[in-house]
Amino acid sequence: MFNLTSISSLIAIIATSIYFLSSSLPHKSSYHSLFISTSLSSNESISNHLYSLTLRPHIAGSEANAEAAKYVLSTLTSYNIPSHTAPYYTALTYPVSRSLTLKTPPTPDPPIEFNLQQEVYEGDPYADVANLVQPTFHAYAKSGTAVGPVVYVNYGRVEDYETLKEMGVNVSEGGNVALARYGKIYRGDIVENAYAAGVIGVVIFTDRKDYGGTDKWFPDEKWMPPSGVQVGTVYNGAGDPTTPGWASTEECERLSDDEVEKAGDVPLIPSLPISWADGDVIIRSIDGQVGNDDWQGGKDAPVYRVGPGPGIVNLTYQGKQVISTIENVIGIIEGAEEPDRYVILGNHRDAWTFGAVDPNSGTACLLEVAERMSKLQKKGWKPRRTIIFCNWDAEEYGLVGSTEWVEENRQMLASRVVAYLNVDIAVAGAGFEASATPQLDELLIQAAKQVLDPDNSSQTIYDSWINSTKNPIIGRLGGGGSDYAAFVQHIGVPAADITFGGGYPVYHSMYDDFIWMKKFGDPMFQRHVAVTSIWGLVALKLADEDILPFNYLSYAVELQKSAEDLKGEVLNRGVNLVPLLKSINELEKAAVKINDERKALEGSRGWTSMSKNDKKVRELNDRLMMAERAFTDREGLPGRSWYKHLIYAPSKHNDYGSKSFPGIDDAVEKAKSLNTADSWHSVQHEIWRVSRVITQASLCLKGELT
Ligand SMILES: *[C@@H]1O[C@H](CO)[C@@H](O)[C@H](O)[C@H]1NC(C)=O
Ligand SMILES: *[C@@H]1O[C@H](CO)[C@@H](O)[C@H](O)[C@H]1NC(C)=O
Ligand SMILES: *[C@@H]1O[C@H](CO)[C@@H](O)[C@H](O)[C@H]1NC(C)=O
Ligand SMILES: *[C@@H]1O[C@H](CO)[C@@H](O)[C@H](O)[C@H]1NC(C)=O
Ligand SMILES: *[C@@H]1O[C@H](CO)[C@@H](O)[C@H](O)[C@H]1NC(C)=O
């Protein structure tokens, strides 16, 4: 039966096919079809790469990770892709000693001493290298001791501390240690919020409710075992903290420890991550008021009370900071017609432990994209633009490898990169997810319509993507979650980030290994094949199509939505949104205009070679490429000047959260708490700044001087 939606999707399909026929030379698109065909894809070789990359734990700065870099370098080289290593010398931290004890007055029992060990299970094939896993810790945690009554703070969000205040609990009184659970926000913000609330240390546990399943766990089920711990960084910046804004080359300028602390992105109180088994013991030592329903644990959990105390913990952590060599591996397929235009594919290699899901599922796919492209080259394909493979190091510590490289090559990248395509975790389970700067939305949708769903070959990834939502949900790249951050937020490059499966229970624990992937993440490695196909296909379209497949109309629509959201926030505050709304209108007009220009150019060259239009095409493409740069501002966000992009940046209290208009948002938050004329005036100033960058983008798209 035909209903309105199916007719409109039919029209969309026809329109897409016409677009395809007209926008890329037939032989280019036949290479693209070949790229995603079963004849080039191999789940076996992806599985082999993943197996080889995850034989040993390979934290950044370790010998095992240098070994993994060699593997990536030699694999790319074996595909005849010229490759090299870009090393940096970065300040990374490692644990030296840790201890955690719990006393429960008034009982006279001796304190419980937690062993803080993730346990090897019977038959674990990685048992003999388990000792190479670093003791559980938080990278860049403050060294020191915190002794005090425990106060339970739920997920450690700003609103959780508000709730405690409403309950009459003064967390800053008498030197308390916070017990928070992992889950809703970035762990660095859990520590920062705790510090701001006035506690003296933080213990973060994995709650069984969120990661532990029922009564079975890995290796029998996908869930986190009782002793499993989510390790991770608690740094709130991007890149080496001792070289903010410049590259960590061998003999570069570095900030002192004091200067780093003053910069405000490293924690000022100690913290430790712990397992759900240990979290359960500590929770039982806390008395006082019962937490709200959304503060409680799962089935079989004790009642969660907020305290403080009577349980008293002694959290002691000693770390060391070492200038460690890290290595990005860079492989380059030079473009035949526009070698100075770059399409970059990036994924990191370093892992907290074995890293089968995070990040080497992505590394295995990166190598597979490279191999398939090398096969296309053998058949005569030459990309129009240059394709660059980047395998980053030290992402886990704070996006260090990618940030240092972007900082070092800033000028070249800002003038030449067409788009950056990130895959961190390629596969954690079923279900395609994507985030992008909005001019890439249409391209992602097109690619998703061409690749089959690995979990149901009678439909495409697109069909399953829209199963529950009708319209595909595309996230935005304001968050600090992975290596796209420096590209988008520091230099304004269009970018996308894709994955299958979202969150997974053994995240950042010792159990993220090949066995987990094989049993639960992707038993047939067909999801990896699908990520390879869609990632590579998007890259091929960006590298080969004469006119860049960007649509800025989506950007205007997104900005309109964000402006709508803002309206409610500033209602009756004497704030004028007209400049913002006007600039967005202009952007919409400019997007329509450049889309028309594209059509005219495509029409004029018909089915013949476009060579006589080369200069016009190049000029149009430059406008499409540079419009994203226009959203950046030299001064950056107030108080966070590394973040230059005024449209997308991390949310201030959750680095994982993506914010639109972050500068306006920060100013609104401040104004709401101060409620002074000055503070609302700052909101207006930020609105003007955003309006001006949007206007810059419109001028760039129009290609006209005023
Ligand atoms: C909480 O305790 C601190 C430290 O004792 C004190 O300075 C502050 O005024 C208290 N806050 C409230 C709301 O009682
Ligand atoms: C806390 O633990 C550390 C390390 O075990 C120990 O040196 C210190 O004396 C303890 N502090 C207190 C007050 O018990
Ligand atoms: C697989 O896709 C077909 C065609 O869209 C659909 O009818 C079927 O329900 C899907 N199967 C599952 C298990 O999702
Ligand atoms: C749609 O999603 C539901 C639940 O997520 C699933 O059971 C169903 O099989 C899906 N259908 C298709 C066609 O993929
Ligand atoms: C590759 O896929 C085929 C077909 O789905 C499957 O039989 C095979 O076991 C898979 N190989 C690996 C290594 O997963």
Side-chain angles (χ1 to χ4, degrees), residues 170 172-174:
N170 186 347
S172 68
E173 195 168 36

Coordinates of all heavy atoms in Angstrom, one line a residue, residues 170 172-174, ligand 1:
N170 N 25.2 18.5 53.7 CA 26.2 19.5 53.4 C 27.5 18.7 53.1 O 28.2 18.3 54.0 CB 26.5 20.5 54.5 CG 27.4 21.6 54.1 OD1 28.1 21.4 53.1 ND2 27.5 22.6 55.0
S172 N 30.3 19.4 51.8 CA 31.6 20.0 52.0 C 32.0 20.1 53.5 O 33.0 20.6 53.9 CB 31.6 21.4 51.4 OG 30.8 22.3 52.1
E173 N 31.1 19.7 54.4 CA 31.3 19.9 55.8 C 32.1 18.7 56.4 O 31.7 17.5 56.2 CB 30.0 20.0 56.5 CG 30.1 20.5 58.0 CD 28.7 20.8 58.5 OE1 27.8 20.1 58.2 OE2 28.6 21.8 59.2
G174 N 33.2 18.9 56.9 CA 34.0 17.9 57.7 C 34.8 17.0 56.8 O 35.3 15.9 57.3
Ligands
LIG1 C1 28.5 23.6 54.7 O1 29.7 23.4 55.4 C2 30.7 24.4 55.2 C3 32.0 23.9 55.9 O2 31.7 23.6 57.3 C4 30.2 25.7 55.6 O3 31.2 26.7 55.3 C5 29.0 26.1 54.9 O4 28.4 27.3 55.3 C6 27.9 24.9 55.0 N1 26.8 25.2 54.2 C7 25.6 25.2 54.6 C8 24.5 25.5 53.5 O5 25.3 25.0 55.7

